[in-house]
Amino acid sequence: MKNIEEILQLLSWSNSAEDQEHGRDMAQNIEDISELIQPDVGGKSAWDNCAKVLCKKTDEQLEPYLCELLEWIQDINWPGAMLILGRLKHFSGIKLKEPVENAVKKAKGMQENGLMWIDYLSELLDNESLEKCLSKATLTCLQQHYHNWAAWYQE
């Protein structure tokens, strides 16, 4: 098997569709999936394909990396962020509860960029099992931002 750097190079959007597919197939066998979370190799060019691979993983495989996956959606324009957000909407709510609560707390301390992150985190309210187990404070905060991206921003 090729090393991770070679696989990430194959995952770059600058490669042919066939090479990218080959890279995704190889990446499915990577044991340490943390290497697929916003990797540094090639800038952001491999992120979308990495997200595609990660989205096929089970809740149990992804659970140790929930904080990092939530950080990926700090900017919904980052490659793969929408895919990760979509996957997290179907994640076990009980397992996602604490990482989301921590992400919201962290985002509140970040000022404008944090407000944008809360906007994107609020989309996780589509995950009904998560919504049911969030603290009242977190739920209220996310509800204020739900489907209301950048409404807080005034020029």
Side-chain angles (χ1 to χ4, degrees):
M1 183 163 129
K2 294 186 178 189
N3 68 32
I4 186 66
E5 288 81 18
E6 291 176 279
I7 294 171
L8 292 171
Q9 292 294 337
L10 284 171
L11 294 174
S12 172
W13 59 45
S14 62
N15 290 322
S16 69
E18 291 142 352
D19 283 347
Q20 291 177 57
E21 182 177 358
H22 180 62
R24 287 190 302 271
D25 289 343
M26 293 176 66
Q28 288 294 339
N29 298 317
I30 293 173
E31 287 184 33
D32 182 5
I33 63 172
S34 70
E35 306 220 44
L36 297 172
I37 300 173
Q38 294 179 308
D40 290 332
V41 176
K44 296 177 182 173
S45 68
W47 288 13
D48 195 58
N49 280 311
C50 287
K52 289 176 183 177
V53 173
L54 291 167
C55 286
K56 292 182 179 180
K57 301 296 181 185
T58 65
D59 283 7
E60 290 74 27
Q61 290 172 303
L62 294 176
E63 186 176 4
Y65 309 103
L66 287 174
C67 293
E68 292 87 351
L69 293 171
L70 289 166
E71 287 179 7
W72 195 329
I73 62 172
Q74 281 184 25
D75 187 335
I76 212 68
N77 295 308
W78 284 339
M82 289 295 290
L83 294 169
I84 297 298
L85 178 60
R87 173 63 179 89
L88 293 176
K89 287 181 180 183
H90 300 284
F91 203 88
S92 163
I94 296 202
K95 292 179 180 181
L96 195 54
K97 176 190 182 287
E98 186 176 338
V100 168
E101 301 252 355
N102 291 335
V104 169
K105 286 177 191 170
K106 186 175 179 180
K108 284 181 176 180
M110 294 173 60
Q111 311 210 340
E112 185 175 310
N113 288 340
L115 291 174
M116 288 190 300
W117 190 15
I118 294 171
D119 285 347
Y120 309 138
L121 289 169
S122 74
E123 294 298 313
L124 293 172
L125 293 178
D126 290 345
N127 180 332
E128 292 179 14
S129 69
L130 172 64
E131 184 179 17
K132 290 177 184 175
C133 64
L134 288 172
S135 70
K136 184 168 177 65
T138 299
L139 181 60
T140 300
C141 176
L142 292 176
Q143 286 172 332
Q144 291 170 344
H145 288 259
Y146 185 67
H147 292 303
N148 205 22
W149 292 5
W152 48 265
Y153 179 76
Q154 296 180 17
E155 294 185 49

